[in-house]
Structures are given as structure tokens and as C-alpha cells.
Amino acid sequence: EYFNFNFKKDVLRLQKDDLVNFVNSIESRESYQIIKSLMEIMEYDDQVFVDDSIRELSTIKKTNELFFNVSFDKDFLTSFKGKWERNQFKFILIDGFIDTVSEIHHLLHKASEDKEPYIIFCKGMREEVKQTILYNLQRNTIDVLPVSLETNEENVNILNDIASCLGADTVSSHKGDVISVEVRRDLKIGEKIRVSKKGFYLKNENEEKIKRQLVYLKNKLNSINFSDPNFKYINKRIKTLQSKKIEVL
């Protein structure tokens, strides 16, 4: 769950002794050790998330990166030995399904010419499109990685979160965008990405846009009940967009 504690300085002024006394008052040895460890590693802008776990002993994980634990088609990673890591890459975010090869033909042709790394975020593609990309990857003529998201409730709006991290907009038919036209434009360039079968890490490239997205998600979370099925999905999205966080698992 996501916890957000706000202390108004005119209501409560915490001193170091107050925190020490609080920790010492905890009766559970395990809880004592967890909170003591949190206090030792926490910085002022860290967010703490406590997740359900089947582990007998809790673990604490501190990160400073944006990691998207999403389900997507892993077959493309076989051409890169299971991992795609680039310091700079051209990208496009397609909020929709790639229906034909002709829609991304220009991108594939450009990639074969300039040999630069490209990544295509999308909500799926036809088998013909997939096989065409795989064939060219096997021939080593392009450096293109599709992140073709699986269709499920968690992935419905995840492209908007990715877009906020990259400081970009999505290509969407709802806005009148046409994929075959958008791939002909000069694509934006991202910095640092690591994609594996577990998901992908992104560099935080647009702090302001991420903050706006977090405000939107937190407001949405506050407007629904805990029992709402969307609660856990929005909660997960909020956690994903927090680069400086500590997870208690």
C-alpha cells in the first residue's frame, strides 16, 4: 500500500529523541528492526511503500531509478540475449495496435540505414508485423526493440506514465494521429534504458511532467474506494513513478 504522512510544523515539531523513543517503544522485534533500518537509510525525499509478501522475513529495498514492471512480448529480447541496454535511443509511443507493416515501414527503413537504436512502445501488433521485425533482427540489419504490451488492466494507461518519464506525447488515433505519418517525423531521443524480461528501467528525464502525472494519479486514487479494483493498479502506477523510494517486502 502507499502511505503518505504529512506533519505540519505548527502542529508537531519532531526532535531526534522523539523518533528514538518511538522506535524503542515498538514491542515486535522484527518491526523494531525494520523501522530502525528505515530510519538509517531514509532521505528526506524518499517515499516508503509497504507491500504484501509471502516471505517469512521482510526485506528492505532502496532504489533511485524508475522501473516499470510490466508484461510485454519478450520474444524480441531473444535477438539481444535477453537484455537491451542503450545510453541513447530514438523512440515512439503508440497508444494503439500496429495493424500492418506499412504503418512502421519508414521507421524500419530508417533504422536499417542509420543503424541507430530505436524502441517502439505499443499496445500490441499483428503477427505479420512481429515476424517482419524478428526477421530483420535475426539478419542484424536493424537495432529496433518493440515493447509490445500485453492486453490487461494494468497496462491500459501505462503508456501515459512512460510518456511522462520521457517527456513525450503518445501517438493516438483519439487525437487524430496516424502512425505511418508520425514515424516519418524526427523522433525524440531518450537517455539510458535497460530492458530485460522483468521489465525496464528508464532515466528520469522530465521531473515536472512526472510530478504532474503523480498529482493526477494521487487525486484519482483519493476519489475511489479501497475496494475498487482500480485502486491497486493506480497504487502500483504511483509507486512506479517514484524514482526515490524504499520498498518493504
Side-chain angles (χ1 to χ4, degrees), residues 103-146:
E103 290 180 293
I104 58 169
H105 171 76
H106 182 79
L107 185 153
L108 298 178
H109 178 70
K110 185 71 175 172
S112 68
E113 286 186 331
D114 61 27
K115 304 301 181 184
E116 293 184 15
Y118 288 75
I119 187 164
I120 304 171
F121 297 96
C122 64
K123 289 185 173 180
M125 59 181 62
R126 286 204 183 276
E127 188 65 23
E128 177 195 4
V129 180
K130 175 179 175 176
Q131 293 304 321
T132 298
I133 296 173
L134 284 173
Y135 174 72
N136 283 280
L137 288 175
Q138 290 163 6
R139 292 176 59 220
N140 202 30
T141 59
I142 58 174
D143 184 9
V144 177
L145 178 69

Side-chain angles (χ1 to χ4, degrees), residues 6 19 29 33 35 38 63 66 69 72 87 102 116 119 144 150 163 172 182 191 200 202 205 210 213:
N6 293 308
L19 295 174
R29 186 64 185 170
Q33 290 296 340
I35 295 176
L38 283 173
T63 59
L66 294 167
N69 179 14
F72 63 99
N87 288 327
S102 61
E116 293 184 15
I119 187 164
V144 177
E150 292 182 9
S172 172
E182 296 302 321
E191 294 184 21
F200 57 90
L202 276 177
E205 298 188 35
I210 291 176
Q213 185 70 355

Side-chain angles (χ1 to χ4, degrees), residues 43-47 242 244-245:
E43 297 177 45
Y44 76 96
D45 55 348
D46 282 331
Q47 295 288 324
Q242 298 281 0
K244 285 180 61 59
K245 59 177 171 278

Side-chain angles (χ1 to χ4, degrees), residues 171-229:
V171 174
S172 172
S173 59
H174 298 297
K175 298 186 296 182
D177 299 331
V178 179
I179 297 173
S180 59
V181 173
E182 296 302 321
V183 295
R184 291 178 178 273
R185 304 185 191 278
D186 290 334
L187 300 184
K188 294 198 72 170
I189 297 175
E191 294 184 21
K192 281 198 176 182
I193 188 169
R194 298 199 312 275
V195 186
S196 69
K197 292 182 179 180
K198 293 181 179 179
F200 57 90
Y201 288 91
L202 276 177
K203 180 181 178 182
N204 183 346
E205 298 188 35
N206 196 303
E207 191 72 39
E208 285 306 312
K209 200 160 185 177
I210 291 176
K211 283 182 180 178
R212 289 198 297 271
Q213 185 70 355
L214 279 170
V215 169
Y216 165 75
L217 291 173
K218 288 175 183 178
N219 287 337
K220 196 168 183 179
L221 191 70
N222 291 331
S223 69
I224 61 177
N225 294 323
F226 182 80
S227 58
D228 191 312

